[in-house]
Amino acid sequence: MYLKVNQFPPHKKVYVIGGEGILQELQLAGFTAVGGPEDGEKKVQLKSSGFFEHDKNVGAVVVGIDPNINYYKLQYGTLCIRENPGCLFIATNRDSVGHMTDLQEWPGAGCMVGAICGSTEREPIVVGKPSTFMMDFLLQKFHISTSRMCMVGDRLDTDILFGQNAGCKTLLVLSGVTTQSELDDSSNSIQPDYYTGKVSDILELLGE
């Protein structure tokens, strides 16, 4: 949607550091997406005479969560952003960690985004939470006031901050990333309007 709204040239390609889902979304929107999981097995040859080729027709690099991040992808994305005139650097989000399994937190998309920030010395356009781009788009499409919305999420620095930035009421659920102790910590500056243990608690409030 960001590319469409900003009239991204249809003849330009999008290089993806991320999963198959990003490629599919871009292709459904009519864009030519390259990279993604198929570059996960590619290797680089670090020889003194080596030269890494990249597509000069890439007009945007989109970075999201990528369990198969490697040096090939980092170099490809870096060259596109640094050497292709006007190439956009877009991040799906900057989550530091995520619950990829039930027992542990794992590095989030912010880890991959941070690597490209470091190599390009550029900051990305963040289209996911807590950026308000998504909300601006929804408001235009559905014409619903944010005063009638409540943002529900399990993370203070993305979900709840997104809702606050957009002017919604916010409900934090403690069934995901943010814990009760993190919410109550004196250093935490993001306070939701409401919080509960899990989404299904809402049903108890509604009653029969």
Side-chain angles (χ1 to χ4, degrees):
M1 284 295 98
Y2 180 85
L3 293 175
K4 279 191 169 183
V5 168
N6 289 277
Q7 299 179 321
F8 184 75
H11 64 279
K12 289 284 189 180
K13 298 176 184 177
V14 182
Y15 183 72
V16 174
I17 298 175
E20 189 64 34
I22 301 176
L23 289 169
Q24 291 173 355
E25 287 292 326
L26 289 166
Q27 290 161 358
L28 285 170
F31 298 111
T32 302
V34 296
E38 75 172 39
D39 283 357
E41 300 299 322
K42 294 183 179 179
K43 308 292 184 184
V44 295
Q45 297 294 325
L46 298 176
K47 297 179 180 179
S48 59
S49 59
F51 185 82
F52 191 100
E53 296 282 355
H54 75 285
D55 192 333
K56 302 295 193 298
N57 203 36
V58 169
V61 175
V62 176
V63 184
I65 185 71
D66 191 338
N68 299 306
I69 189 78
N70 59 21
Y71 212 43
Y72 179 94
K73 295 181 183 184
L74 293 175
Q75 174 69 340
Y76 204 106
T78 297
L79 290 177
C80 289
I81 293 168
R82 291 180 63 173
E83 297 185 6
N84 292 5
C87 184
L88 301 173
F89 173 20
I90 299 173
T92 61
N93 64 79
R94 300 190 78 162
D95 291 1
S96 57
V97 295
H99 280 243
M100 308 307 172
T101 64
D102 293 338
L103 300 179
Q104 289 176 307
E105 290 183 337
W106 294 71
C111 173
M112 294 80 195
V113 174
I116 296 295
C117 288
S119 60
T120 62
E121 299 184 312
R122 288 259 304 271
E123 286 297 308
I125 301 160
V126 182
V127 295
K129 300 169 294 186
S131 166
T132 58
F133 165 75
M134 185 161 48
M135 181 58 75
D136 295 338
F137 175 78
L138 291 173
L139 291 175
Q140 289 179 6
K141 186 174 178 65
F142 296 107
H143 307 290
I144 300 174
S145 169
T146 54
S147 65
R148 296 180 57 205
M149 299 182 190
C150 181
M151 177 63 195
V152 181
D154 68 353
R155 191 182 184 111
L156 288 171
D157 60 352
T158 54
D159 302 323
I160 302 307
L161 187 57
F162 168 76
Q164 291 177 346
N165 288 343
C168 304
K169 291 292 187 181
T170 55
L171 169 63
L172 174 72
V173 289
L174 300 172
S175 54
V177 174
T178 299
T179 64
Q180 180 79 56
S181 60
E182 290 170 336
L183 174 64
D184 295 337
D185 194 296
S186 59
S187 65
N188 170 41
S189 60
I190 305 170
Q191 292 292 331
D193 294 292
Y194 314 102
Y195 72 92
T196 189
K198 54 189 182 302
V199 174
S200 59
D201 289 343
I202 296 172
L203 298 176
E204 295 180 18
L205 291 175
L206 294 174
E208 294 183 7

